[in-house]
Amino acid sequence: MLQLQRMRRLAGANCLLRRHSTTWRSSTKNASFSEVLQLEDKKLTGVVFPLQGLEKYLASNVNTASFRTFNPGLDDIHRAEALFKPSGRHTIDYFSSAVRMDHAPQLSQPEGHTKKMNFFKVGKYFTLVDMPGYGYRAPQDFADMVEAYLQERQNLKRTFLLVDSLVGFQKADHIAIEMLEEFGIPYVFVLTKIDKAPKGLLIKNVLEIQDFAEKHTQGCFPQLFPVSSIEYSGIHLLRCFIAHVTGNLPMMNS
């Protein structure tokens, strides 16, 4: 069973998790991959592969090989979507809290307000763990809670470190990176809120993070995952990556 860490809140990410979320009943733009497949090629690339969508804005000498480290086919991404769609036999729901069992997580809280680890079972396939933010709103016992979990959880598959695209790396991010590197825990950078960042700032932060990952990390996956929970850009690709690293989606094109 996967224990998937998220060390900052992903704004709107409860659309991936909540069984009874209104997101499933609404016509959220690009939420269904079947709808995305109807888009024209340029628009589809921007929604499904945000990094590749940024290439046209980059100088010709910029190395973008890492943009395609994880490069599944559209069929693979479509198959992965099924894991994140609840049905009668496949539930995606709150499972337990690391602090107390009788308190369900309040997913509508502003990001950074999670004060404990909340566990969500994705059917019989894996478990997602939503961890407290590690910034100025972190709970007092954050270090003890998180470090012990990361070091002791033997079935941990991947840690996802969320970085705000509007601000880029902060001091707290570097502290978290140092901890993950010290523990030898494989992790991934997820760049959030890309719909809100001006194009120039977004490109600047993408290139800085990719460069940092290449030159200064050992356990970081070489590809950054930019996402928008509003426009669904990058969400389908990230889901596919999660399905793949948990062993639930062998790549058809690999």
Side-chain angles (χ1 to χ4, degrees):
M1 182 185 299
L2 167 72
Q3 305 297 327
L4 176 68
Q5 307 303 312
R6 298 190 304 154
M7 301 182 71
R8 273 189 181 172
R9 290 302 297 270
L10 172 57
N14 45 334
C15 63
L16 299 179
L17 304 174
R18 296 182 67 185
R19 182 182 178 188
H20 301 298
S21 171
T22 55
T23 302
W24 296 112
R25 297 192 296 270
S26 66
S27 56
T28 303
K29 184 178 180 180
N30 300 326
S32 169
F33 195 64
S34 296
E35 296 176 0
V36 174
L37 290 173
Q38 304 304 313
L39 298 174
E40 59 180 16
D41 289 346
K42 290 184 178 179
K43 179 65 175 177
L44 184 148
T45 298
V47 171
V48 182
F49 305 102
L51 285 179
Q52 296 178 29
L54 292 175
E55 287 183 326
K56 62 183 177 181
Y57 301 103
L58 304 177
S60 58
N61 63 339
V62 175
N63 185 356
T64 59
S66 60
F67 288 12
R68 292 174 169 78
T69 304
F70 181 69
N71 194 31
L74 296 178
D75 288 340
D76 295 319
I77 298 174
H78 205 179
R79 288 190 300 129
E81 184 179 37
L83 290 179
F84 295 89
K85 294 178 66 174
S87 63
R89 295 184 178 182
H90 177 65
T91 60
I92 304 174
D93 215 347
Y94 170 70
F95 174 56
S96 68
S97 165
V99 177
R100 56 185 185 275
M101 298 292 290
D102 60 346
H103 181 69
Q106 300 297 316
L107 292 178
S108 60
Q109 296 181 93
E111 58 184 299
H113 282 227
T114 301
K115 299 302 182 184
K116 58 188 178 183
M117 294 189 292
N118 294 312
F119 295 70
F120 300 83
K121 294 189 70 173
V122 180
K124 62 182 180 179
Y125 298 102
F126 53 87
T127 298
L128 292 162
V129 182
D130 185 21
M131 301 190 75
Y134 52 84
Y136 68 96
R137 289 173 173 167
Q140 292 183 350
D141 59 349
F142 172 82
D144 292 338
M145 179 194 308
V146 172
E147 288 188 15
Y149 185 85
L150 291 175
Q151 285 185 299
E152 297 172 5
R153 187 63 60 170
Q154 297 299 314
N155 54 353
L156 178 68
K157 294 295 184 181
R158 198 74 53 161
T159 297
F160 289 79
L161 183 64
L162 276 62
V163 179
D164 191 321
S165 65
L166 292 169
V167 297
F169 274 150
Q170 301 292 291
K171 180 178 179 180
D173 296 309
H174 286 285
I175 294 173
I177 292 166
E178 290 177 5
M179 178 181 66
L180 294 170
E181 291 285 339
E182 179 183 350
F183 294 165
I185 297 170
Y187 60 102
V188 181
F189 288 129
V190 177
L191 190 64
T192 67
K193 305 177 186 176
I194 63 173
D195 58 289
K196 296 182 179 180
K199 193 71 67 179
L201 178 61
L202 176 61
I203 292 173
K204 173 180 176 292
N205 285 330
V206 164
L207 295 180
E208 286 183 354
I209 293 173
Q210 291 276 188
D211 184 66
F212 178 87
E214 178 182 352
K215 296 179 179 179
H216 303 290
T217 70
Q218 297 294 324
C220 182
F221 188 73
Q223 179 176 324
L224 169 70
F225 286 85
V227 298
S228 165
S229 62
I230 303 300
E231 299 178 348
Y232 260 65
S233 300
I235 294 292
H236 300 289
L237 182 65
L238 180 59
R239 286 174 170 176
C240 187
F241 180 77
I242 293 171
H244 179 60
V245 296
T246 59
N248 292 292
L249 187 73
M251 295 288 101
M252 294 175 63
N253 296 332
S254 60

